[in-house]
Amino acid sequence: MRVWLRRVSGALLLLLVLTACAAPPQVEVLGYLLARSLGTLTPSPHPAALSTTGSISGRVTHAGQPLPGATVVVALRTGRPFHAVTDAQGRYTILDVPPGQYVPAAVAPGFNETVPTDFLGIPHLVTVRAGAETVAPDIALTPHATRPLPDDVALTVTARYTATAPFPAGATSQVTAYTFHSASLPVPVTTLRLYLPPVVRAERLPLLFMVYPTDVLAWEPVSVAFAAGGYALVAVSPMPAHGVDIQAHSYDARIAFDLARRGRL
């Protein structure tokens, strides 16, 4: 009985370790996108380098059919990404990957980021060895369904005031603070602001929509400066109640942009 319990405990511990070591697909994909935008993607390997590195190959599918044009990414613990794009048969080969264990992540326009998993839903680790090719399990992508915007958004004006900015000299703005909520939102969003020029001389103004990374009030001098330059600026920032839930923050921003687009502000 003790031997059986030890084996079960060991298996559970191994599952927890593997799950903890597996990077979420969003992290690997974001690392790849950041490296691509910064121009730091790994270049094609020199033939001499292939003796000290390995490669990962596999296939990406959708509904059982090959999916061309998908990007497959693996990353080091430091975040350095390695990638490849699937061909017409849905196949890919990631070259010049340092030896180690990785969880491949696949993404394509209109599909969710996905990693290969076993029958328990645990991400599948692939082991790369120097001078060898490792074949990874197929990765089946599912279409991404955009969360619909609520149609019961209630908008409340919470404050109106005049704000100033140190630059440019004499910059001022009319500010309206809003709170919005709906039945589908866990908490009311209180970080929505509208900045207008001190004197509005046109029926329609060019619109800037800003999603600030920290408290919207910390960025108020920036917002005032743009508004003083003749823009209508709509700003929103993350809600502390959402913590690190990026999906919740982006959903709030989508609703705020829709309110501005439809002239609700």
Side-chain angles (χ1 to χ4, degrees), residues 78-177:
T78 60
R80 179 187 176 191
F82 301 83
H83 75 286
V85 177
T86 56
D87 59 19
Q89 287 73 45
R91 299 193 176 278
Y92 67 90
T93 300
I94 306 175
L95 300 174
D96 198 27
V97 181
Q101 289 189 311
Y102 302 87
V103 177
V107 65
F111 292 87
N112 294 313
E113 298 96 342
T114 307
V115 301
T117 58
D118 61 18
F119 67 97
L120 293 176
I122 298 174
H124 185 96
L125 287 169
V126 298
T127 301
V128 175
R129 295 179 175 84
E133 178 183 19
T134 301
V135 179
D138 288 358
I139 305 177
L141 296 190
T142 55
H144 175 70
T146 301
R147 182 180 176 184
L149 295 177
D151 55 8
D152 61 341
V153 177
L155 188 65
T156 304
V157 175
T158 57
R160 297 184 192 273
Y161 59 94
T162 299
T164 61
F167 181 84
T172 61
S173 169
Q174 304 175 53
V175 187
T176 305

Side-chain angles (χ1 to χ4, degrees), residues 226-245:
F226 277 111
Y231 291 93
L233 187 141
V234 176
V236 68
S237 62
M239 288 286 296
H242 293 330
V244 294
D245 187 350

Side-chain angles (χ1 to χ4, degrees), residues 55-83:
S55 63
I56 300 175
S57 64
R59 190 175 68 131
V60 179
T61 64
H62 164 57
Q65 299 298 316
L67 184 62
T71 299
V72 184
V73 185
V74 296
L76 299 177
R77 292 182 181 274
T78 60
R80 179 187 176 191
F82 301 83
H83 75 286

